Amino acid sequence: MGTTAGRYRVMRLSRRFEETMHDQFGDGQVPGPLHLSIGQEAVAVGGCAGLRTSDAVISTHRGHHHCLAKGARPDRMMAELLGRTAGYSGGRGGSMHISIPDIGLIGTNGIVGAGLPIATGCAYGFQAQARDDVAVCFFGEGATGTGAFYEAINIAALWKLPLVFVCENNQIVELTPQEVHVAGELWRRGESHGMPGVRVDGNDVDAVADAVGAAVVRARAGDGPTLVEAVTYRWFGHYAGDRAAWRVEEEVQQWRERDPLIRTRAALPAEQADAIDEGIEELIGSALAFAQQSPVAGPEAIFPNHYASAS
Amino acid sequence: MGTTAGRYRVMRLSRRFEETMHDQFGDGQVPGPLHLSIGQEAVAVGGCAGLRTSDAVISTHRGHHHCLAKGARPDRMMAELLGRTAGYSGGRGGSMHISIPDIGLIGTNGIVGAGLPIATGCAYGFQAQARDDVAVCFFGEGATGTGAFYEAINIAALWKLPLVFVCENNQIVELTPQEVHVAGELWRRGESHGMPGVRVDGNDVDAVADAVGAAVVRARAGDGPTLVEAVTYRWFGHYAGDRAAWRVEEEVQQWRERDPLIRTRAALPAEQADAIDEGIEELIGSALAFAQQSPVAGPEAIFPNHYASAS
Amino acid sequence: MTTTTDVPTRALKVWQGINQALVEEMERDERVVLVGEDVGRPGGPYGVTRGLRDKFGDLRVRDTPISEQVLVGLGVGGAAVGLRPVIEIMFFDFAMIAMDQIVNQAAKFRYFSGHDLPLVIRTMAGAGGPNGAQHSQNFEAWYSAVPGLKVVMPSQAADTKGLLKSAIRDDDPVLFIETLGLYTTRHDVPQVDEYLVPIGVADIKREGSDLTVVATGRLVDRSLEAAAQLAEEGISVEVVDPRTLQPLDTEAITASIRKTGRLVVAQEATAQYSFASEICALAVEECLSELKAPPVRVASPFVNVPTPVPLAESRAPGVDDVVAAIRKAMA
Amino acid sequence: MTTTTDVPTRALKVWQGINQALVEEMERDERVVLVGEDVGRPGGPYGVTRGLRDKFGDLRVRDTPISEQVLVGLGVGGAAVGLRPVIEIMFFDFAMIAMDQIVNQAAKFRYFSGHDLPLVIRTMAGAGGPNGAQHSQNFEAWYSAVPGLKVVMPSQAADTKGLLKSAIRDDDPVLFIETLGLYTTRHDVPQVDEYLVPIGVADIKREGSDLTVVATGRLVDRSLEAAAQLAEEGISVEVVDPRTLQPLDTEAITASIRKTGRLVVAQEATAQYSFASEICALAVEECLSELKAPPVRVASPFVNVPTPVPLAESRAPGVDDVVAAIRKAMA
Ligand SMILES: Cc1ncc(C[n+]2csc(CCOP(=O)(O)OP(=O)(O)O)c2C)c(N)n1
Ligand SMILES: Cc1ncc(C[n+]2csc(CCOP(=O)(O)OP(=O)(O)O)c2C)c(N)n1
Ligand SMILES: [Mg+2]
Ligand SMILES: [Mg+2]
């Protein structure tokens, strides 16, 4: 994803993936919660631009874009969201429990803040095994209310862990605005721990890629963690079905105009962009077909995979 | 405790209280753990100098000095530490569980970091009741490893709570030095939340009183919380009985020379200081006698006070 | 059975019972405050607290950051200085994050200080929505094992309202477990000025003579339905709702078991190391000679809660499971 | 009974068994790391991990800040990327602070990913020092109710060593509960190259025919002593140590209960909603017709653990309490 085309491609994939799932949700086909990241794609795609498969990404309850940017298969993701046996968790987990360690996608998570200790563990694991891999931890600004965040930055700074903290500030925390949750400036919260911090435009995929990329290089070199605040906006409600009626429509409209996809697309020759879009439509179409052809997970799907021996 | 004499008196009381308990420990008379704060008295005494009874103090596992500075009776404290029924908890709690809400001493605590959420609650309680009381939360630098600390400063800053955070940095955390625990500079950890921070010489009772006092005035006026780092030193091991053999003797010696009591005593006319010392000896003597005359708490002491109805 | 025959009643959804209790107690006593994530402006993720912020202002109905440890700390410290806080932990699963504050701080406060700690922690347990393995768990037995804590887990709307009011008036910390799967279920609620249900008292929801079902949460209504079905076959089932798990009304429960000689325990939690285990232990310790058949636990299988509602519902015990257990115990 | 007759043994203190297991496994497999508060330079607050940092360096034996949530997270994340971490939570009580990481993260990892999570969380439970109400609790039943987690609670030194080695080799998260009150107790430990005790298998510590005592932690040795005393009166007591609480060896336990027809469960935890409840429930569900008398729970009273050692010891059940319970069940 070093090229503009590559970045646009994954953003477009994420966008169309979620729009498709949103439609499916409307049709009653998504048996779990659906937290849309539409509008925030640049954070995930820019954040993963400098990563390789063996690096780790730790995601949140709102994580489709992170998963796809780290290389998850859209067909199996769709199957999971639609509750099908071909899904990454056999259809029983839904979007908050996607975990694909083989591609370095440690997991989405239903517990706000819980990814931060785990990310610290991944980074420690790399360090202890003398691997030059890096962990990138995505989290919302709401997660900065949890103590886990600070325990993580303190240890990461102390141990110079290969870890990049990417705070995806979409300015909304479930049903209340950021102001209810965050005192002061987020990007500065590592400073007093001796950790560099930076704020970037989270709707500019190249800016995110540059900032996180530099932090990744630094981390890989053994120079420790960085905190990146990417400022963006959530277009939809907390979950599909939440109308977020309390929001000011003009604000939403302003941010829609700052759509990260439009920007990036504009930097491409129109033909190339069209070709990408077409390719994505095909991919989405066949992914949906794959998912829909997979059987709905039945009651027996809840039993396996509790213990190694019984798996 | 606005005067030098008053401050010296309480520091002396705390010092002699602990020395006496340390002797009793040596004689096998203290049936619980004993975490000595000797060398750190100025933090507690300076920290409580601007407080009134209705203000709240939240303490730690190492809290004798906080308790005495907030007005706890040395005789009942001793009784508690000696496991006697006249103790504040009937002799069953020991020094990590002293809680005297009537004088605003909310409690010492066996769980590192656990006082911080409670202190936030006290401050919220004052605010919600429109009382102009203030909470002062003492905690060790070790507690800055816990997430609870940051949850607390975030909410305190957001809500402008009447709360002063006093980090008693004695440079040692149980059995490992501060460097194992703290990345960067402690006093700056509130900055990014918009909270003022200040570092003071924790062995200078007037400096502590000035810094915390200013923060208390600010908090009482409704202008929100402050973080104060008071740099001091723990003369003894983690608990009585721990020889702390791994410490560099010269370092301990240097700090003993910076004894906060010597400084403050030197600022008093010798006669006045001698008179204070004598008064304290008497107080300690009668407190010990009081404690020793109280019956040892027997097995039945463990039963009361679990529920209101059964108390 | 709570006799409500003389009093006018109104059918309320369980969530409405909660909302009414909060409004009434906050009107009665200004020391009562409500603190939690999204409880204020949004009125709670399931709308349970709607209207409260407008009524009582944002100092008494307070939206917090995602800081569960401090959330409970706000209750502990607030109660220590004179408030009577009601703290909402959105999902019961999240209470784990604040467990030190609940178990080591709130529950032990009186033991050391001798002082009241009037604190209610409300939370929402169990499956019932497409929330998945980290938002649907039933760990009521954990908290019921803690000296100093009271644990209330009502099922029907009237009990929910009356017990929440009692919990708010109680001088000890009370964990008040609401059942998500019941929020929109309706039951009759007496319309009296002061409808209080005492903590620590079980309720016989249906009298019977052949077998006792002790049930909690969603399994109360399901057990009542099972009892109704089996009545047609001439099997007389008594349904006991303990309503409070700590302190447990052991007398009412053992009296029923002694009377019927047969026991089924029905709950949404998994069976091992659970509420149902405790009731079985009580039965065998206290009523061995009266037991005519082995007790049967009706519980969820020992697996995680899946996200899709149909799967989650297939995991939770239903009316049929209760019926089958009763038949087994009657055999 | 583990037959150790053919193998040379050495009397080791329980803590030495732990230390040996750690050394052996860290020598065998360099993916094994030890992480915790004061585990390194100081060798642990009770000296259990002494010598390890010098042997294995400070990347593999790592002192951490007081950050229990991240501590367990280091284990979860570390295991997810190839380590086999052993995490030390100093006192069992502190595990509450990390409970979300244990229950919602570690225990559910395989359920969603299908991947191994070889993680051991070692901790120290119970009274035994002057540590008080927040450092002495026995909440093993809580964790035993969690699908995806294994819970091991050994008593004697040999089991402790052999089970810790097995736990480290296990591909699931294991909560390994050590008993503070046993650290300096000596037992014979077989001196063989690979001394492994399997997880999930109970051990008959003493055979008998009149009554079964199922005991954990400090109550194992105390029950053995009670059994020895009563043997002089002709009462033949069988002592079963489950060693693992999840998965529980229900077959071994019910077989013993069926054989003797009488049951005492002895533990340091309080009785309600505990391990003992589960064993009583198992007994009545599976062995009702064989039960000759009501089972008796020997447990601590439902009160906090006081700080002074004599009071804490008066609270914990002793040999006399086990003897009295056996007599009661034999009456
Ligand atoms: C510990 C915890 N508390 C509360 C919740 C409920 N909850 C789910 S998402 C959410 C808001 C998260 O906001 P943010 O971190 O900003 O992420 P965003 O939804 O904006 O992407 C909350 C409060 C939770 N899942 N976990
Ligand atoms: C949550 C928790 N983790 C670990 C401990 C064990 N412990 C007791 S005191 C202590 C060190 C505290 O250091 P600091 O906060 O600097 O206070 P000091 O002892 O120096 O006064 C530790 C780790 C504890 N009591 N609580
Ligand atoms: Mg957000
Ligand atoms: Mg310290």
Side-chain angles (χ1 to χ4, degrees):
Chain A
M1 290 185 299
T3 64
T4 304
R7 290 171 190 175
Y8 174 69
R9 192 183 166 283
V10 183
M11 290 200 290
R12 177 85 193 169
L13 171 63
S14 184
R15 173 71 54 91
R16 293 292 301 129
F17 177 93
E18 289 200 334
E19 287 173 347
T20 307
M21 290 298 96
H22 202 185
D23 288 347
Q24 291 291 314
F25 188 91
D27 292 346
Q29 296 303 310
V30 178
L34 191 69
H35 301 97
L36 298 175
S37 67
I38 290 180
Q40 308 179 196
E41 293 89 346
V43 181
V45 175
C48 293
L51 300 186
R52 50 199 192 198
T53 303
S54 55
D55 291 323
V57 160
I58 294 84
S59 173
T60 66
H61 59 288
R62 192 180 307 285
H64 309 135
H65 54 334
H66 309 135
C67 295
L68 292 167
K70 191 65 180 46
R73 287 171 47 175
D75 54 357
R76 294 197 61 195
M77 295 260 305
M78 281 193 188
E80 186 58 36
L81 270 57
L82 298 183
R84 308 301 174 116
T85 57
Y88 275 116
S89 301
R92 64 190 170 201
S95 72
M96 295 202 295
H97 302 293
I98 291 174
S99 173
I100 322 166
D102 289 345
I103 61 162
L105 194 271
I106 304 304
T108 57
N109 211 313
I111 302 298
V112 172
L116 285 140
I118 297 172
T120 314
C122 294
Y124 165 63
F126 295 149
Q127 187 183 64
Q129 293 172 93
R131 280 165 58 175
D132 70 344
D133 294 318
V134 165
V136 172
C137 186
F138 293 99
F139 54 100
E141 80 281 21
T144 67
T146 72
F149 169 53
Y150 303 90
E151 294 192 3
I153 59 177
N154 186 49
I155 291 184
L158 272 172
W159 296 359
K160 287 203 167 197
L161 292 180
L163 178 48
V164 182
F165 296 95
V166 181
C167 180
E168 189 162 3
N169 184 353
N170 61 8
Q171 305 175 56
I172 281 163
V173 178
E174 203 165 87
L175 312 174
T176 44
Q178 204 217 122
E179 297 78 61
V180 171
H181 296 264
V182 183
E185 298 182 279
L186 276 182
W187 64 277
R188 296 186 54 202
R189 295 220 174 160
E191 261 177 18
S192 61
H193 302 253
M195 187 187 301
V198 55
R199 171 153 49 198
V200 290
D201 178 351
N203 281 19
D204 178 342
V205 71
D206 298 322
V208 176
D210 288 349
V212 179
V216 165
V217 169
R218 192 171 168 268
R220 227 187 272 295
D223 294 330
T226 304
L227 173 59
V228 178
E229 177 186 359
V231 181
T232 182
Y233 196 79
R234 192 184 83 196
W235 288 14
F236 288 90
H238 175 52
Y239 43 81
D242 165 25
R243 285 172 39 248
W246 41 272
R247 293 210 306 201
V248 186
E249 193 46 49
E250 291 89 74
E251 186 186 274
V252 182
Q253 209 37 56
Q254 271 169 23
W255 280 94
R256 280 183 182 255
E257 280 158 22
R258 300 189 52 215
D259 184 345
L261 268 69
I262 296 183
R263 281 200 205 183
T264 311
R265 197 179 203 284
L268 291 173
E271 268 169 43
Q272 192 183 5
D274 290 344
I276 290 173
D277 289 358
E278 271 168 45
I280 294 295
E281 286 319 293
E282 245 169 67
L283 185 57
I284 291 290
S286 66
L288 185 60
F290 170 90
Q292 287 173 333
Q293 276 154 30
S294 170
V296 172
E300 67 292 345
I302 72 175
F303 293 98
N305 275 335
H306 284 85
Y307 294 98
S309 47
S311 297
Chain B
M1 290 186 298
T3 65
T4 304
R7 290 170 189 177
Y8 175 68
R9 192 183 164 284
V10 183
M11 289 201 290
R12 177 84 193 172
L13 170 64
S14 183
R15 174 71 54 90
R16 293 293 300 131
F17 177 94
E18 288 199 335
E19 286 174 348
T20 307
M21 290 298 97
H22 202 186
D23 288 347
Q24 291 291 315
F25 188 91
D27 293 347
Q29 297 303 310
V30 178
L34 191 68
H35 301 97
L36 298 175
S37 67
I38 290 180
Q40 308 178 196
E41 293 89 347
V43 182
V45 175
C48 293
L51 300 187
R52 48 198 193 198
T53 303
S54 54
D55 291 325
V57 160
I58 293 83
S59 173
T60 66
H61 60 287
R62 193 181 306 286
H64 309 135
H65 54 333
H66 308 135
C67 296
L68 293 167
K70 191 64 179 45
R73 287 172 48 176
D75 54 357
R76 294 197 61 195
M77 295 260 306
M78 280 193 189
E80 186 58 37
L81 270 56
L82 298 183
R84 309 301 175 116
T85 56
Y88 275 116
S89 301
R92 64 192 169 199
S95 71
M96 293 202 296
H97 303 295
I98 291 175
S99 174
I100 323 167
D102 289 345
I103 62 163
L105 193 272
I106 304 304
T108 58
N109 211 312
I111 302 298
V112 172
L116 286 140
I118 298 173
T120 314
C122 295
Y124 166 62
F126 296 149
Q127 187 182 63
Q129 293 171 94
R131 279 165 57 175
D132 70 344
D133 294 318
V134 166
V136 172
C137 185
F138 293 99
F139 54 100
E141 81 281 21
T144 66
T146 72
F149 170 52
Y150 304 90
E151 295 193 2
I153 60 178
N154 187 49
I155 291 185
L158 272 172
W159 295 359
K160 287 204 168 195
L161 292 180
L163 177 48
V164 183
F165 296 96
V166 182
C167 180
E168 189 161 5
N169 183 352
N170 61 8
Q171 303 175 57
I172 281 162
V173 178
E174 202 165 89
L175 312 174
T176 43
Q178 204 217 122
E179 297 78 60
V180 171
H181 296 263
V182 183
E185 298 182 278
L186 277 182
W187 64 278
R188 296 186 54 202
R189 296 221 173 160
E191 260 177 21
S192 61
H193 302 253
M195 187 187 302
V198 54
R199 170 153 51 198
V200 290
D201 178 352
N203 280 19
D204 179 344
V205 71
D206 298 323
V208 176
D210 289 349
V212 179
V216 165
V217 168
R218 192 170 168 270
R220 225 187 273 296
D223 294 332
T226 305
L227 172 59
V228 178
E229 177 186 358
V231 180
T232 180
Y233 196 78
R234 190 185 86 195
W235 289 14
F236 288 89
H238 175 52
Y239 44 81
D242 165 24
R243 285 173 40 249
W246 42 272
R247 294 212 303 202
V248 187
E249 193 46 48
E250 290 90 73
E251 186 187 274
V252 183
Q253 209 37 57
Q254 273 169 22
W255 279 95
R256 280 183 180 254
E257 280 157 24
R258 301 190 51 215
D259 184 344
L261 270 69
I262 296 182
R263 282 200 203 181
T264 311
R265 197 181 204 283
L268 292 173
E271 266 169 44
Q272 192 183 5
D274 290 343
I276 291 172
D277 289 358
E278 270 168 46
I280 295 295
E281 286 320 292
E282 246 169 66
L283 184 56
I284 291 290
S286 65
L288 185 61
F290 170 90
Q292 287 172 332
Q293 277 154 28
S294 170
V296 172
E300 68 291 347
I302 72 176
F303 293 98
N305 275 336
H306 283 86
Y307 294 97
S309 48
S311 296
Chain C
M1 220 166 331
T2 315
T3 47
T4 54
T5 35
D6 303 340
V7 177
T9 63
R10 222 183 102 199
L12 287 186
K13 292 181 182 166
V14 167
W15 80 260
Q16 293 173 311
I18 299 167
N19 190 285
Q20 280 192 359
L22 290 169
V23 170
E24 289 175 16
E25 293 305 301
M26 291 186 78
E27 275 171 348
R28 189 185 58 80
D29 185 343
E30 64 174 20
R31 295 169 303 173
V32 180
V33 298
L34 174 67
V35 181
E37 294 161 15
D38 291 340
V39 295
R41 273 186 264 189
Y46 288 85
V48 171
T49 57
R50 64 186 76 146
L52 292 175
R53 180 170 174 272
D54 288 344
K55 237 196 184 81
F56 302 107
D58 61 5
L59 263 185
R60 287 184 69 198
V61 180
R62 196 121 216 205
D63 283 324
T64 72
I66 309 177
S67 307
E68 278 80 8
Q69 293 186 69
V70 167
L71 248 184
V72 177
L74 291 168
V76 178
V81 302
L83 293 178
R84 304 186 74 87
V86 178
I87 302 297
E88 177 173 314
I89 298 277
M90 196 183 286
F91 284 88
F92 192 15
D93 317 64
F94 307 165
M96 275 189 267
I97 301 172
M99 201 142 182
D100 177 74
Q101 287 289 321
I102 300 172
V103 172
N104 268 340
Q105 311 301 329
K108 294 180 174 54
F109 190 79
R110 181 186 299 280
Y111 192 58
F112 298 118
S113 69
H115 266 257
D116 290 349
L117 200 80
L119 163 64
V120 177
I121 301 167
R122 289 179 44 236
T123 192
M124 176 171 76
N131 301 315
Q134 296 170 328
H135 290 67
S136 309
Q137 296 167 95
N138 275 89
F139 289 135
E140 56 273 9
W142 296 357
Y143 300 86
S144 303
V146 177
L149 196 63
K150 293 178 179 170
V151 179
V152 174
M153 187 173 172
S155 53
Q156 300 186 342
D159 290 343
T160 302
K161 178 175 177 181
L163 277 161
L164 181 52
K165 286 169 67 81
S166 295
I168 293 172
R169 299 182 189 197
D170 202 280
D171 288 329
D172 286 312
V174 179
L175 178 67
F176 191 86
I177 305 173
E178 300 161 13
T179 296
L180 170 59
L182 291 172
Y183 271 166
T184 54
T185 306
R186 272 181 214 276
H187 306 93
D188 288 336
V189 178
Q191 298 299 298
V192 293
D193 266 4
E194 287 278 83
Y195 186 66
L196 294 168
V197 174
I199 291 176
V201 179
D203 189 42
I204 314 277
K205 292 285 182 221
R206 177 190 176 106
E207 282 186 20
S209 53
D210 294 329
L211 180 144
T212 298
V213 179
V214 178
T216 58
R218 288 211 283 178
L219 270 296
V220 172
D221 283 357
R222 290 178 186 185
S223 297
L224 287 170
E225 184 159 343
Q229 279 183 25
L230 289 164
E232 292 169 20
E233 298 176 26
I235 303 178
S236 167
V237 173
E238 177 147 310
V239 178
V240 182
D241 179 352
R243 302 192 294 195
T244 302
L245 308 194
Q246 186 59 254
L248 185 64
D249 188 349
T250 54
E251 270 175 46
I253 294 167
T254 52
S256 176
I257 298 171
R258 283 208 184 90
K259 180 174 79 172
T260 64
R262 296 178 199 270
L263 173 66
V264 164
V265 192
Q267 64 182 17
E268 196 173 330
T270 58
Q272 272 192 337
Y273 303 99
S274 74
F275 167 75
S277 315
E278 180 57 33
I279 300 300
C280 290
L282 185 67
V284 66
E285 274 182 350
E286 302 290 327
C287 323
L288 176 61
S289 59
E290 285 103 339
L291 280 182
K292 298 173 193 154
V296 179
R297 290 185 261 187
V298 181
S300 293
F302 191 62
V303 296
N304 287 307
V305 183
T307 300
V309 172
L311 298 198
E313 290 301 313
S314 80
R315 176 182 175 274
V319 175
D320 289 354
D321 297 301
V322 181
V323 168
I326 294 173
R327 286 196 206 284
K328 186 173 165 199
M330 291 302 298
Chain D
M1 224 168 324
T2 317
T3 47
T4 54
T5 35
D6 303 341
V7 177
T9 64
R10 223 181 100 198
L12 287 186
K13 292 181 181 166
V14 168
W15 80 260
Q16 293 173 311
I18 299 166
N19 190 285
Q20 280 192 0
L22 290 170
V23 169
E24 289 176 17
E25 293 305 301
M26 291 185 78
E27 274 171 349
R28 190 184 56 81
D29 186 343
E30 62 175 21
R31 295 169 301 173
V32 180
V33 297
L34 174 67
V35 181
E37 295 163 15
D38 291 341
V39 295
R41 273 187 263 190
Y46 289 85
V48 171
T49 57
R50 64 187 75 145
L52 292 176
R53 180 172 174 270
D54 288 345
K55 239 196 183 77
F56 301 107
D58 60 5
L59 263 186
R60 287 184 69 199
V61 180
R62 195 119 216 209
D63 285 323
T64 71
I66 310 177
S67 308
E68 276 80 9
Q69 293 185 71
V70 166
L71 248 183
V72 177
L74 291 168
V76 177
V81 302
L83 293 179
R84 303 186 74 87
V86 179
I87 302 297
E88 177 173 315
I89 298 278
M90 196 183 285
F91 285 88
F92 192 14
D93 317 64
F94 308 164
M96 274 189 269
I97 301 172
M99 202 142 181
D100 177 73
Q101 287 289 322
I102 300 172
V103 172
N104 267 340
Q105 310 302 329
K108 294 179 175 53
F109 190 78
R110 181 186 298 279
Y111 192 57
F112 298 118
S113 69
H115 266 255
D116 290 348
L117 200 81
L119 163 63
V120 177
I121 301 168
R122 290 180 43 235
T123 192
M124 177 170 75
N131 301 315
Q134 295 169 330
H135 290 67
S136 309
Q137 296 168 96
N138 275 90
F139 290 134
E140 56 273 8
W142 296 357
Y143 301 85
S144 302
V146 177
L149 196 63
K150 293 179 178 169
V151 179
V152 175
M153 187 172 172
S155 53
Q156 299 185 343
D159 289 344
T160 303
K161 177 175 177 182
L163 278 161
L164 182 51
K165 286 169 68 81
S166 296
I168 293 172
R169 297 182 191 197
D170 201 281
D171 288 329
D172 287 312
V174 179
L175 178 67
F176 192 87
I177 305 173
E178 301 162 13
T179 297
L180 169 59
L182 290 173
Y183 270 166
T184 56
T185 307
R186 270 181 215 276
H187 307 93
D188 288 336
V189 177
Q191 298 299 298
V192 292
D193 267 3
E194 286 279 84
Y195 186 66
L196 294 168
V197 174
I199 291 176
V201 180
D203 189 41
I204 315 277
K205 292 286 181 222
R206 177 189 176 108
E207 282 186 19
S209 52
D210 294 331
L211 180 144
T212 297
V213 179
V214 179
T216 57
R218 289 212 284 180
L219 270 296
V220 173
D221 282 357
R222 291 178 186 184
S223 298
L224 287 170
E225 185 159 340
Q229 279 182 24
L230 289 164
E232 292 167 22
E233 297 176 25
I235 302 177
S236 167
V237 173
E238 177 146 310
V239 178
V240 181
D241 179 352
R243 303 192 294 196
T244 302
L245 309 193
Q246 185 59 256
L248 185 65
D249 188 349
T250 54
E251 271 175 45
I253 294 167
T254 53
S256 177
I257 298 170
R258 284 209 183 90
K259 180 174 81 173
T260 64
R262 295 177 200 271
L263 172 66
V264 164
V265 192
Q267 64 182 18
E268 196 173 329
T270 57
Q272 271 192 338
Y273 303 99
S274 74
F275 167 75
S277 316
E278 180 57 32
I279 300 300
C280 290
L282 185 67
V284 67
E285 273 183 350
E286 303 290 328
C287 322
L288 176 63
S289 61
E290 285 102 339
L291 280 182
K292 298 171 192 155
V296 179
R297 289 185 262 187
V298 181
S300 293
F302 191 62
V303 296
N304 287 307
V305 183
T307 301
V309 173
L311 299 198
E313 288 302 314
S314 79
R315 176 181 176 275
V319 176
D320 289 356
D321 297 300
V322 181
V323 168
I326 294 173
R327 285 196 206 287
K328 186 173 167 200
M330 290 303 298

